Amino acid sequence: MTYGHYGTNFPIPKDQNGNDVQLTPTDPAKFAFYSIPIAITWVFQSGTDYPRIDTAVDFSGIPGPDLVNFDVRGPYGVMIFDNGNDGTVDGLMWGDRFHFRTTRNPPTRNSSWTWNNPNSRARYSALTAGGFEMGLFEPMPFASSATADLYADERGSTSTLYNAGRGCAFGEIQLLPCDFEWPYQSLQYSLPFDDNNATTNFKKMAWGSTVLYGTGPSLPAVSDSPGTSETLKGFPDSNVLTYRICTVLGATTAAGLTKTAAAQPLQNCASEAVVARLLCCGDFNGDRKADILWRNTSGEVFEWLMDGLTISSFGSPGTPTNDWQIAGVGDFNGDGKADILWRNTTSAHQ
């Protein structure tokens, strides 16, 4: 898939606080639309409980750093995970530099919370409902996370200590942390805004990061709380930002199924490396049998000519650079054989 995002056509670096060093222009001629291809790969592995979702964000369609800024939120979605009951969410927890948990449940905007117990293991986010749990975790220690967090003034505190026990200090009138300062999308946009004591059954979950991806070396680190910061590589040297997230579904536990999985040195998550991605199928040799098109993570393209489930032959048309992406497969010249349509994400040539 391709994610489109507007930015400027000239760089605007950041200062040490993450602010633009100059105002964003108002002249439409100063803006450009950038295509950012996203590759999402599910990894299932025999003998493990939790599948993995690999997300690769391709920066090659952006000419350079400081032209555009964005965050990453995938995996993202809503799931009725409580055995079809679609009941009230009765537990909320996550982990980044610290563990967060609501201490008055089911969660409402007036729920008390703690966010000050250090977390040396993986980042995670989880919801519970009716004895079941849905969660996400990154299969590596927090200190090695592939993505940096956004800033949260409440991080490292509790609902009793923060803002003299009055809750969010910069937005909503609620005891919970301010919606925009949650590290992950979760219940903050599902809980009713007109009743701070109301619960919700809308089970949204997404990953999260700083909104400063696309930034160059002017900002080597981002603050994540009043006294801490995280390293930021906002525009990767490889032109690709890759991060891996494990998905958890099952019966919840007192400690939290996702939190427990994230704390284990060898998480029970798919760990196989992805060396190639299945892109499409088509009849590439005109024998009226479906064939398979692959692309290796190195960029090399392979065609498998199939005879049913048997590979009759295979070959590679080459290794295009990452800015050339396969846009489609079809018989474009009418010879009865499938052809490959390429699109350059930098020049838009096809």
Side-chain angles (χ1 to χ4, degrees), residues 289-346:
K289 298 177 181 178
D291 304 310
I292 299 175
L293 179 67
W294 296 89
R295 191 170 192 186
N296 194 289
T297 52
S298 67
E300 189 171 10
V301 177
F302 289 92
E303 292 178 4
W304 285 3
L305 303 182
M306 305 296 294
D307 182 7
L309 298 178
T310 302
I311 303 172
S312 59
S313 63
F314 62 89
S316 172
T319 307
T321 55
N322 283 335
D323 55 348
W324 283 100
Q325 299 289 321
I326 294 174
V329 170
D331 182 5
F332 300 116
N333 61 353
D335 65 354
K337 300 177 183 178
D339 306 305
I340 302 173
L341 176 64
W342 291 88
R343 183 176 186 273
N344 190 289
T345 57
T346 302

Side-chain angles (χ1 to χ4, degrees), residues 192-262:
F193 289 98
D194 58 354
D195 184 351
N196 277 16
N197 294 311
T199 60
T200 185
N201 65 340
F202 194 68
K203 303 171 179 68
K204 177 190 284 188
M205 178 162 291
W207 203 240
S209 76
T210 177
V211 297
L212 294 172
Y213 280 100
T215 300
S218 63
L219 189 65
V222 291
S223 295
D224 61 2
S225 79
T228 58
S229 63
E230 300 176 30
T231 300
L232 175 68
K233 190 70 173 180
F235 203 97
D237 294 333
S238 65
N239 278 339
V240 178
L241 168 66
T242 300
Y243 63 98
R244 300 170 175 86
I245 305 299
C246 302
T247 61
V248 176
L249 289 169
T252 191
T253 63
L257 185 64
T258 307
K259 179 181 178 181
T260 299

Side-chain angles (χ1 to χ4, degrees), residues 94-99 115 119 123 142 149 155 183-184:
W94 68 65
D96 45 29
R97 184 181 297 278
F98 299 97
H99 296 287
W115 196 1
N119 175 30
R123 296 177 64 194
F142 164 79
D149 276 318
R155 186 178 277 118
Y184 314 99

